[in-house]
Structure formats: C-alpha cells, structure tokens
Amino acid sequence: MKLFEPVTINGLTLANRVVLPAMVTRLSGEDGFVNDDIRRRYLRFARGGPGLIVVEAMSVHGGKSGPLLRLSSDEFVPGHADLARRIHDISPSKVVPQIIHFLKIARSGWRQKVADLGPEDLSEIVAQHGAAAGRARAAGYDGVELHMAHAYTLSSFLSRLNRRPDDYGRSLENRMRLPVEVIRRVRAEVGADFPVGVRFDGEECIKDGYTVVDAREIALRMAREGVDWISVSAGGKFEDAIHKPGQPLYPYTGYSGDRCMPGAAYPDGANASLPEAIKRHLNAHGLFTPVVATGKIRTPELAEALLAEGRADLIGMARALLADPDWVRKVASGRSDHLVRCVYGNICKNLDENFRKVVCVLWPKGSLQAPASDDAVAPRWGETGAALRAEAAPSGVRVSWAEATDNEAVYGYEILRSVDGGSFEHVHSVKTTCWTDHAVAAGARYRYAVRAYDLAGNRTPTSNAADIELSAEAGADPGAAKAAGEAAS
Amino acid sequence: MKLFEPVTINGLTLANRVVLPAMVTRLSGEDGFVNDDIRRRYLRFARGGPGLIVVEAMSVHGGKSGPLLRLSSDEFVPGHADLARRIHDISPSKVVPQIIHFLKIARSGWRQKVADLGPEDLSEIVAQHGAAAGRARAAGYDGVELHMAHAYTLSSFLSRLNRRPDDYGRSLENRMRLPVEVIRRVRAEVGADFPVGVRFDGEECIKDGYTVVDAREIALRMAREGVDWISVSAGGKFEDAIHKPGQPLYPYTGYSGDRCMPGAAYPDGANASLPEAIKRHLNAHGLFTPVVATGKIRTPELAEALLAEGRADLIGMARALLADPDWVRKVASGRSDHLVRCVYGNICKNLDENFRKVVCVLWPKGSLQAPASDDAVAPRWGETGAALRAEAAPSGVRVSWAEATDNEAVYGYEILRSVDGGSFEHVHSVKTTCWTDHAVAAGARYRYAVRAYDLAGNRTPTSNAADIELSAEAGADPGAAKAAGEAAS
C-alpha cells in the first residue's frame, strides 16, 4: 500500500503517510507545561506508529486561554524536550509541535480583530513565531507546524473578511503578507534544514469567506516560500460561531465548525476536494510540496485511494486515531478488522468546547487514555448466541442483542447494517446491548448484525442477522414494518 | 458531444442535455399573471434552444409575496397556455413550470415554521400542489417541477432541522412524508405519462443541516416514487439568512446563499459533487432517474465532462444562460468563442433580493432582455490597436486599453489573464476600457490581454499582451512591480 511507503520531507523521513493532526486535548493545565497526562496521550499515539505526530497547538505568546500548552518562553522547553525524547525512544514516529497565535476573546462575546492590531503588534507576532519555532528546534522536535487555520490570528489575516485598509488587508497579496513574514522569520530562526509545515483552511466555509480558488494561490505562495508541507483544513471560524451567554466564543459551533470536524451526518472524506485541488495546482506549477488531506478520513480504503489517485500526499486522521491510536499498526499488519472505529459523534469536540479533558466516548468509562492490549483472544457470544432482534419502533428500528464475554473485557459492539440487499456497513458502535436506528426510510429493507470487540480490537463472529422491511405507504407508521429474524449464528 | 444527444424522460424528448433551471425574474407583477416582460424573457431563452426550460417558481397557493408568478387558481391558466404555445411555436425547447409553496415571512424577521402547521394545513398543501400540477398540464406545459429546495415549505420538511414531534418531523422517513404525499397527489392528478421532476438541496449548507448522506436517500425515495428527474441544488436557507431591519428575510444572504448561487470566489462546478454522489447512489440501486447538476457550470468543457464521466445526466445553467441565452445554439454550432460569458458577480441575485427586475449586468444598460443579433461582422480595434497597458496600482494591477468599434455596437470587453506562463483564462468582462485586478499575488508573473465583443458575440482579435511581474519581497509595495508591454498587435 502507498499508505505505508516512507516519504522524506526536507531530510525528515516519515515511515508512513499517516499524520496525526494537531488536536487539543485540554490535558494540560492553564500553566501550559507538559504534564503526565499529556505525555501519556502522545506516547500512546506514538506506540501506534503514525508517520508524523503533530502535538496539539501551543501558544507562541502569553495570551490568556483555557488549558493549553505553551512554547512562549524558554521555561517550557525542557518539558517538550522530554516529550520528544520519550516519543523517539519508543516509536519510529516523527513529532512536531503546532504553534499558534490567537487574539483576545471575552465572555461578553467580544473578540479582538485583526483590524485592531497596530504595527508593533504585527512585529511582535512575527517575532513570537520565530522564537517559538526556535524553541521547537531546541527541544529536539523534528520540525514545526504553523497554525494558519480556523479562527486564529494568521488565518484571520488570510481571510477574505480581513478588510484592514493597510498593506495587511483586502487584496490576496496583502492578506498573505503577515503569514509570509512569519514563514520567513521562522525559517531564518530554524535554518533551511528544519522542516516547517503550515496548516490552513482550504475553504473558510463562511459567508463571503475564501474558497479553494484563493486557497490554491495561498498554497502556491507558501510552497514558493519554502514551506515543507501544507496541511489542509476547513472552516472553524468565529464569524458564524454561536455565542453562549457568559462564555467566550468557541469557533466550532457554527456551520464552519461542522465542516471543520465533519460529524456523522457527513460523508467520508467530506473535505477531500480541497487538498486535491490545492495539490493539482501546486503540481501544475512544478511544485511538489506534500499536501495533507484531513476531514473524516477513517478507512484504509479511502486513505489509500486518496494517495493512489494522487489526490493527497499524506493522510491526516485526528478522531480516527483518537478512537484507535493503533490504527497504523493494525492496518499495516493486515488487521484492519481489529480497528476500533470512530463513530463521529463529536463528543470529543464537545469536551474541547467546554474546556474539559478530551477523551473518546468509545474508551472505557473514566479512562483518560485509549486502552492498550495485545491480547489475541477474541470475545465470545454466550451459548444462545447474540440473539439479535430488529423491531420497528416509533422513531426508527430498535436493535437489541445479548451480551458477549471476553478474557479481558468487552470494549463495545459494532452495529452493521445492509440496505436493500447491499453489503454490510458499520453504522455505529455502542457499549450497551441495544440501539435505535433513526436513519431509516419506508420502502427499504434493512438487515442488521453486531460484533462485540475487546480492548485489542478482537471481534466475535458476526451475530445472526435480523431483517426488517419498512412499509412504503406514505402516512404509514413504521410500526407497520415486517420483521424477520434469522436463526442465530 | 454528449451535451447534444437527445434524451427521453417519461415520453418527453429533450433535444439536448442543457436545462435552464428556475430563476426568479421579478418581471411579473404582484398579481402573478404572465405579462409581456415574462413572455419576452422566456421566448428569448427558447430561441437559444436549451433542452428544457423550467419557468421560474410560481406559487400553488395565494400566499402574499413580492412579484411572483402564480398557478394557484384557474384564472392563471390562459396566460401560461399562451406562453407554452408561443415557446413551442418558435423552439424545440420543452418547457415546464416550477411550482412552489412557501410559508409566511414578516418584515420583523419573524417567519412561520413547519412546526406551526396543523393537519389541515398539510392536507391543503398537498391538495394545492396537486391542483397546480393539474393546471400545468391543462396549460399545455410539457411537465412540472416540484420545488423542494432552499428555504421553502417542502424543503423545510426535508430539513434535518425539522423537529416536528409528529409523523412529519425528526426521522428521515418522517421528514420525507409530506414531500412524498405531494409527489403522489401530483402524480394522481397529472397521470402516469406527464413528466414530474423534483428540485431539492443536495446539501443544506447550514449548521446541523443535512448533507449528501441524507440527500442520497431522499433522492432514492423520490426515484422509487416515480419522479422523472431530480435537479440538485444546495443551500439557500433561512436559518443563516441575515435579517435587514424592516425587510423580510431573504434566504440567500448567508453562507448557504453563497453556496446556492456560487459567485466569482467559487470554483466552477462548486456543487458538482452533490449530483454526482446522488446519481451514483441511484444507479447502484438500479434506478436511472436523470439527475440535473447545477451551480456555476459555465463552460462547454465542464458540462461535457460531467456528462461524459457519468457524474450527471443533465446540465442546469441559470446565470450562464441569463448572460447568454444563445449558449446552446452557439456551442452546438462550434461557436463557443462567441459566448457572452457570465462573470458571476451576482448582480442578478442582488436585484432579486431587492424585488427589482432581474437583468444581467452585461446586457446593454437599461435593457430588460438579453440582446439578440445574428450579425456576423466582428468589432475592430482602431488604427493604433488596443494599446493595452498593465500597471501596478495600490490595490492590484490596473489594465487599460483603447475602445473598439463595431457595425452594430460593442457589447463589452473580455479580459484574459495568464499566470506564470500558463494559458490565457477569461477572468472578467466589463463595458468600460479599464479594470483593476485585485486577485494578484507577489512573486507571480501576469500577462493580460482583452478582446472586444459585439451583440452577437463576435470578437476582435486578441489585443496585444501586457506583462507584469510582482516583486516577491514581503512588505514590498505592489508598486515595485516590473511591467513590460509588448508591441501592439
């Protein structure tokens, strides 16, 4: 698979094409130091062996924020040096920090805007990025990623809504000016041989925001400035965020937030056209800066297809790796059927929004980290099998089954569904033994089955299948469904 | 070209694959009758010969609105019968009306919601659609299209934000219930042999709205209900519309409005992935209901590619046909270089928003209709040629040139641009003899040229080219550009 072909970026060889994009954990304190929980989180990721780990955004300045890592002064370096060393000790994964500058926000809903910044502010932002990147190098990180996406300072400069009347606003060239100054200062600070990546939005996903038409040009400029990779996100803006009284604005609460972290309602690879168009544009101009695709890429098949079809150079997976940090290890060893699959319910996003420690809803209750197990014994159904049933319910189809058992612990149940005789697809995972499918339509035939999985991702055999056909009569109650259970497996 | 292959839809043969989607003209009075301006507009479209003309949305009920056609009682039939007959007399184009039901809106910003409707309201909506479709048939139209897109009643039922607690809300099946009842009533009214199409959103483009994941299922259900074509739009919702004090909400003012009528900032075919996914889903289920792709499809190349690659069955072009109703005729006769090309400035959208008569900004000033001319004499440059110049300006690159002359009239100037030695692309059209390009970036080389065109789309030779290179120094003023004019052609 192309997914497991190494790639070298400015002298840095990644063992595979999987990138863990920066994902806030809220595990640090407000002091911004690397602590035990942070270390555990990233060492857990490292054990899974993604080609590149981007450690969550850490601030280049002293701006007040909720729990967030910092790289804003030298006192933070030892913690990062320790983290980088530990990761390198146990894993082939390369690791870089993402560095961020953000403006002020208040609980009133007020927020500082790019138009409020004076010339000294701009110089300071440039200098702060340079210094933080220097600290990243001093800490032994393998490179640094500059955060120019979402609602933060550099993204707000790139925004088509940046109407600053001076040389830093309005025209595309002016909007790129500060980001380019940052790139140049960072490069001057870290030297030519230290990998510097950028993450930015391929589309703002807000009214009058920029689209991939501008993003292509921005990427081209960054590539010409010698950036070593371009990681493409989308949305996540303040402009359409919903202000909750008494809370500071959280930039992932509007439509652009939906697009930034596409949930269950979105198709796989919802934003894949953005990196594709950017990569095509770079390549057409003779530039081959690696492009990272992100946004609900969860299956090995899609990840591989994006690479094989030349639509991306690297595959970013945040939530999929949160659900299963061993994704790479399992897929590389042909055990894709052992993956713990993210259900894109965005509980993690909700925890982040509320400044609570970010965990995965699939993990065992109370756990701050994904479980790790090398157990090879699969869970089993009891003597009467799974006894799966599917019944019409007022709001959809209710599926229920018997408990499975395991030598360690049953971790959850994967629900599989086929529509109108199609193949089984994973539609959800739960920890309980029942679930109601609300996404059903009259006139269709559904077949359900479940598999229990343990902490290592070993599965039971697929349960018996239960069929249900929903009447096509308009006005009919789903209760008119005809259900037929098959013999237990 | 596949674009000009006929296709038969439920007995109705379209001469080609181009569809004029419904586009409000604001040419009717508030009385809702077909008048002279409406007739002229659609006869002008018909002369161009698109396979199918969908006449702008007309209401099935007596709801108060701005200028809008109506089909809400029998008194409106004669006007439509006359329009349909006149179109058939002069053109091979088939013609269907789009019928619409909308809820109440007030200048205060208040709007009636689907949750406010009682059982009698729902029955009435179904009956009104049936009766209006019957009138469409009686008027001699070739079919009827049901408006289930954007901010209107049936779309609001399909919406994922439809939280009605009864059988008409929440689950996908319930959300489809009223639209399916409408489809069935319309079919019962018009008979099996009368083509009935549906237009709906492939994605709502609002927070928590549905995406193509639901749209695929909605389309499948509609296809199974025997709908004869599925026209795919996007966005255009009330939920993110911007309320202007004293004005009723206009559902195209938010991000979802940007996505509905993608402007200059958007790439061509911005929404093409939606019909593509829907068509793939239908076909995978053994259904081959024709799917219409829309959304900034303007070039013959893209239109043909979408068909040839099996990503759509029909191509909807609204603004491109408003700019040049002769699009089909010109492309079919190998005269694509005579097209008057839409610049996607969305002045037409703005006129609609303000209840003003919708015209194209490219048309001669004061004209209510696109000019028509079969003149074959091209405009000419004067003795000194176009004398095109490109100069650095504070906000970009200013391009200016000399006037051209024509035996009838010069209609406008097309500005062509090449970036970094790439091929010339049409970037804008103007009626004046200068223009400033704000979408330029330092470090790039630009080449500009212009062509004048006349009322029939005949072109002058391309002007001399002017080169300009913008300095790549960050902080540099665009004034540092090096410009080089070539010898006049």
Side-chain angles (χ1 to χ4, degrees), chain A residues 152-218:
Chain A
Y152 309 109
T153 310
L154 296 178
S155 180
S156 300
F157 273 90
L158 290 176
S159 175
R160 216 151 160 265
L161 299 177
N162 165 10
R163 310 300 294 162
R164 275 180 73 105
D166 64 358
D167 284 353
Y168 292 87
R170 304 175 67 97
S171 76
L172 181 59
E173 175 58 19
N174 284 348
R175 286 152 44 202
M176 291 192 294
R177 196 172 307 276
L178 188 71
V180 166
E181 289 176 1
V182 165
I183 291 167
R184 291 179 180 187
R185 176 68 65 90
V186 164
R187 180 59 75 199
E189 190 76 34
V190 300
D193 62 340
F194 191 68
V196 176
V198 165
R199 183 159 170 83
F200 85 110
D201 278 353
E203 184 174 348
E204 292 193 83
C205 306
I206 49 172
K207 178 176 165 63
D208 295 335
Y210 73 71
T211 72
V212 75
V213 170
D214 280 4
R216 287 188 300 230
E217 304 306 325
I218 295 168

Side-chain angles (χ1 to χ4, degrees), chain B residues 268-312:
Chain B
D268 281 9
N271 295 326
S273 69
L274 304 175
E276 181 182 357
I278 286 170
K279 178 169 159 63
R280 200 185 310 122
H281 193 66
L282 292 180
N283 295 173
H285 282 80
L287 287 152
F288 297 90
T289 310
V291 174
V292 187
T294 63
K296 205 178 175 186
I297 304 171
R298 59 184 185 95
T299 68
E301 293 73 22
L302 177 59
E304 181 66 14
L306 291 173
L307 297 174
E309 294 164 12
R311 298 161 65 193

Side-chain angles (χ1 to χ4, degrees), chain B residues 130-259:
Chain B
R135 287 179 202 112
R137 176 156 201 164
Y141 279 121
D142 298 303
V144 66
E145 182 173 274
L146 313 179
H147 197 340
M148 300 194 180
H150 311 159
Y152 310 109
T153 312
L154 296 178
S155 180
S156 300
F157 272 91
L158 290 175
S159 174
R160 212 150 163 267
L161 298 177
N162 165 11
R163 310 301 296 164
R164 275 180 73 106
D166 65 357
D167 285 354
Y168 291 87
R170 304 174 68 98
S171 75
L172 180 59
E173 175 58 20
N174 284 348
R175 286 151 43 201
M176 290 194 292
R177 196 173 305 278
L178 189 72
V180 166
E181 288 176 1
V182 165
I183 290 167
R184 291 179 179 188
R185 177 68 66 90
V186 164
R187 181 58 75 198
E189 191 77 34
V190 298
D193 63 340
F194 191 68
V196 177
V198 166
R199 183 159 170 82
F200 85 110
D201 278 353
E203 184 173 349
E204 293 193 82
C205 306
I206 48 172
K207 179 178 162 63
D208 295 336
Y210 74 70
T211 72
V212 74
V213 171
D214 280 4
R216 288 189 300 230
E217 304 304 326
I218 295 168
L220 186 58
R221 179 63 182 278
M222 289 173 176
R224 287 188 167 135
E225 290 291 335
V227 152
D228 295 307
W229 71 86
I230 290 171
S231 178
V232 182
S233 190
K237 308 297 287 185
F238 276 129
E239 283 78 359
D240 67 348
I242 293 159
H243 182 232
K244 295 182 185 166
Q247 294 297 321
L249 266 182
Y250 178 72
Y252 305 98
T253 43
Y255 173 79
S256 73
D258 283 1
R259 285 287 302 276

Side-chain angles (χ1 to χ4, degrees), chain B residues 3 76 98 100 125 143 152 179 243 276 347 396 413 425 449 468:
Chain B
L3 198 51
F76 295 106
Q98 186 184 61
I100 186 174
I125 289 167
Y152 310 109
H243 182 232
E276 181 182 357
I347 301 297
Y413 299 88
E425 285 180 21
I468 189 162

Side-chain angles (χ1 to χ4, degrees), chain A residues 117-133:
Chain A
L117 300 174
E120 333 68 47
D121 297 319
L122 302 192
S123 306
E124 195 178 7
I125 288 168
V126 171
Q128 286 166 333
H129 277 92

Side-chain angles (χ1 to χ4, degrees), chain A residues 15-67:
Chain A
N16 58 66
R17 306 299 180 100
V18 177
V19 175
L20 172 76
M23 188 173 18
V24 166
T25 63
R26 304 288 185 200
L27 292 175
S28 73
E30 302 215 5
D31 60 6
F33 285 96
V34 174
N35 62 18
D36 280 352
D37 288 337
I38 291 277
R39 257 189 303 276
R40 284 194 199 103
R41 174 66 55 93
Y42 288 97
L43 287 169
R44 182 70 191 85
F45 281 130
R47 240 171 254 127
L52 181 65
I53 291 172
V54 184
V55 178
E56 63 195 280
M58 50 196 78
S59 70
V60 301
H61 60 130
K64 191 175 171 332
S65 76

